[in-house]
Amino acid sequence: MKLSFHGADRGVTGSCHMLEAAGRTILIDCGLYQGGRQIEEDNARDFGFDAAKIDTVLLTHAHLDHCGRLPLLTRRGFSGEIIATAATRELARVVLLDAAHLQEEEARFRSRPHERRGAANGPVEPLFSLLDAMDVFDRFGRVAAYRKVIELAPGLRATFFDAGHILGSASVLIEADEGGARKILFSGDIGNYGGALLRDPDPPENVDVAIMETTYGDRLHRSLPATLEEFYLALNEAFQRGGNVIIPTFALERTQDVLFFLREGVEQNKLAPSIQVFLDSPMAISATEIFRKHPECYGAETARLFAERIDPFGPPGLHFCRETAESIALNSISGGAVILAGSGMCTGGRVRHHLRRNLGRPDSSVIFVGFAAKGTLARQIVDGARHVMIFGENVPVRAHIYTINGFSAHADQAELLAWRKTANPRRTFLVHGEEEAMKAFAAKTGDADVVLPELGQAFDL
C-alpha cells in the first residue's frame, strides 16, 4: 500500500493525494493551484502520475483548489469514476464551468497583444476549456452519503464523513484489507465548530493514518460574537463616510455566511434596513440556489429558518448581478453599497474591477473574510501594500482594509487538534497549509510520528 502527495504539500492550494491499495489507484481530490504567474506553470505541469491509471477520484468538496484540475485529469486520460456527495456534485458543476469560462476569457485577454503584433507564437491557450469541464461531468458516478460504505474493489471501501466545511464537504475514510485491515483518513478541509450554517465536523474514531489539512494550524479564530461586532462596525463606519464596501468572497459557503449575517444584522437593528447589497457573481448566485436545495446539510438553526419559510440568505435590499452589464452598472454607485464579488483571493473574477475602482478611495472599505494565500492580490493588500497592479494599472491603496478571519470555514488550531484527537491516528501527514503553520501545529500534537510531506514524496504504509 503506497501513499503519495501531488499537491497542497507545504502549501495551501492544489490538493491532490494518491493511494495505491488492493490493486487500485485512488486519487483524493485534484485541485487547482491559486496565486501568481508561477502558479500557472504549476497547474500546467505534469501531475507526477499517469492520469489514465487512476481508477477512482474521491472528491472531498467543490472548492476550486480541490476540484479545479479535474478537467485536465480527464483531458490527459482519466476515464474512471468520480465519487462525491450530492451537494458536491452540483456545486462542482457550477465551479468548473465558471473556472473554464474564466480560463478562456483570460486566454483571450492575454492573446490580444500577440494578435496586434502578429506574433508567431499564436494565441495563448487556456489551461482547460468549457468542453474539458463538461467532459468531467460524464465521469461522476455513485453518490456518497455520509457514513454509508461504498465498495471500491474487493477488500477496498470508502466512507464519507461530514467535514462541516462547505455544503456537501466530506472527510473520506478508506479501509483496505491489504496486509491486514487498515484505516486511512483524508480530512479534506475541516470546518469550524459551532458555525451558523452547517453541522460540526464528524470524523471517525481510531484510524491508522490521517492526512489532514492545517490551513490555520498556527492560530486561533476570534469568537463569532466578536467577529460579528467587528464586521458590523466596519460596515457602518464605511456607510458613515459615504463609501462602498467591497467584500471579496468565495462563492461557496463564505458568500452564504455573509448574506446570512447581513440579514441577521438588519433583523437585530445592527445594520440599517435600507442597506443595499449586490451579489456580483453568477457562480455565487447559482451556488446560493443550490444551498437552498440541500437541507440535509444544515445545522439546527438554519434548518429551523427553512422550516419557517425564512430565506437565510435573503437580507433586505439584496440584488443579484448575473449579467456583465449589471456588474458594470455598479460603477455608477458612489457610496453606501455592499458589493460581494469573487474571487475570494482576488485572483480573478469581477472583484478585481471593483477593487480597481474603490481601492483608491479613502471613504471606501475592503473587508476580507477568508484566507489569502501567498502570491495572491488579496494577500498583497492584507499585508499592507500601498500600491497593487490590477489589469496592468498601478492602483493606490487608500481604502480602509479589514481582515476578519472569524468567518473562516476552516477549523483553527484548537479545532484541528480536537478533530485529530477524535480520529486518533497512529501516524499523521500534514497537508494544505503554509510550512510555518504546519510546524506550529506539529509541535502542538506532542506526537513523534507527524510527517510534513513534500511534493512528489511517496510512503509505504
Side-chain angles (χ1 to χ4, degrees), residues 325-336:
E326 295 172 313
S327 178
I328 294 172
L330 298 182
N331 291 336
S332 63
I333 299 175
S334 59

Side-chain angles (χ1 to χ4, degrees), residues 167 195-199 260 263 291-292 294-313:
L167 195 79
L197 296 183
L198 303 180
R199 293 186 296 265
F260 181 95
R263 176 195 55 77
F291 267 61
R292 294 184 175 117
H294 289 279
E296 76 277 7
C297 295
Y298 295 114
E301 172 60 17
T302 307
R304 179 189 64 80
L305 292 172
F306 276 115
E308 296 176 0
R309 300 185 180 277
I310 298 171
D311 183 358
F313 316 117

Side-chain angles (χ1 to χ4, degrees), residues 75 78 81 87 171 191 198 251 277 280 304 312 327 329 347 356 368 393 402 414 444:
R75 191 170 73 190
F78 170 67
E81 180 185 21
S171 300
L198 303 180
V277 181
D280 188 19
R304 179 189 64 80
S327 178
T347 53
R356 181 173 63 175
F368 291 97
E393 179 182 337
Y402 298 85
K444 287 285 186 178

Side-chain angles (χ1 to χ4, degrees), residues 389-400:
M389 295 296 294
I390 303 178
F391 300 121
E393 179 182 337
N394 190 19
V395 178
V397 180
R398 300 191 186 100
H400 293 248

Side-chain angles (χ1 to χ4, degrees), residues 50-306:
D50 185 351
K53 293 183 177 179
I54 302 299
D55 296 296
T56 308
V57 175
L58 303 176
L59 182 58
T60 64
H61 65 286
H63 271 151
L64 196 61
D65 61 330
H66 288 258
C67 73
R69 281 190 293 167
L70 286 174
L72 278 181
L73 189 75
T74 301
R75 191 170 73 190
R76 293 176 183 178
F78 170 67
S79 60
E81 180 185 21
I82 301 172
I83 301 175
T85 65
T88 294
R89 287 166 64 101
E90 289 191 59
L91 291 172
R93 179 183 293 271
V94 173
V95 168
L96 291 176
L97 288 175
D98 182 78
H101 171 72
L102 292 176
Q103 291 286 342
E104 291 184 341
E105 191 175 70
E106 175 72 8
R108 285 194 294 270
F109 176 78
R110 292 172 58 192
S111 293
R112 288 170 191 162
H114 296 277
E115 293 169 358
R116 286 195 295 268
R117 292 194 299 265
N121 293 336
V124 176
E125 293 296 326
L127 184 66
F128 55 84
S129 67
L130 280 168
L131 182 59
D132 294 326
M134 288 188 288
D135 285 343
V136 172
F137 308 142
D138 293 335
R139 305 266 59 87
F140 278 90
R142 286 170 286 179
V143 178
Y146 293 135
R147 291 186 170 266
K148 300 295 184 182
V149 177
I150 297 174
E151 185 173 357
L152 303 178
L156 191 64
R157 301 168 298 281
T159 308
F160 285 56
F161 292 80
D162 196 342
H165 173 60
I166 68 167
L167 195 79
S169 62
S171 300
V172 181
L173 177 69
I174 298 179
E175 297 176 274
D177 296 339
E178 181 179 316
R182 305 292 301 278
K183 295 181 178 181
I184 302 96
L185 177 61
F186 295 84
S187 73
D189 284 354
I190 302 165
N192 52 23
Y193 289 70
L197 296 183
L198 303 180
R199 293 186 296 265
D200 287 348
D202 177 33
E205 299 177 355
N206 300 321
V207 304
D208 296 298
V209 177
I211 298 89
M212 68 175 293
E213 69 111 329
T214 50
T215 308
Y216 288 109
D218 59 346
R219 71 195 77 173
L220 302 176
H221 296 322
R222 297 187 68 184
S223 70
L224 184 57
T227 295
L228 292 174
E229 181 179 355
E230 182 181 4
F231 180 58
Y232 296 143
L233 179 63
L235 289 166
N236 286 318
E237 285 181 346
F239 298 152
Q240 289 168 8
R241 292 191 303 268
N244 293 321
V245 178
I246 310 301
I247 306 180
T249 51
F250 298 98
L252 313 186
E253 196 65 31
R254 197 57 42 80
T255 292
Q256 292 75 34
D257 275 342
V258 171
L259 292 175
F260 181 95
F261 290 118
L262 288 172
R263 176 195 55 77
E264 198 171 72
V266 172
E267 289 180 358
Q268 297 175 358
N269 296 317
K270 295 178 180 178
L271 296 173
S274 58
I275 186 173
Q276 295 296 300
V277 181
F278 297 89
L279 180 52
D280 188 19
S281 167
M283 182 170 69
I285 294 167
S286 296
T288 302
E289 293 170 349
I290 292 172
F291 267 61
R292 294 184 175 117
K293 293 171 59 179
H294 289 279
E296 76 277 7
C297 295
Y298 295 114
E301 172 60 17
T302 307
R304 179 189 64 80
L305 292 172
F306 276 115

Side-chain angles (χ1 to χ4, degrees), residues 437-457:
M438 289 183 177
K439 289 179 177 177
F441 183 78
K444 287 285 186 178
T445 65
D447 188 342
D449 201 357
V450 176
V451 182
L452 280 63
E454 296 182 359
L455 184 68
Q457 272 194 294

Side-chain angles (χ1 to χ4, degrees), residues 350-361:
R350 295 178 179 179
V351 74
R352 294 167 70 90
H353 295 277
H354 298 302
L355 289 174
R356 181 173 63 175
R357 181 169 178 79
N358 287 276
L359 269 178
R361 297 178 53 184

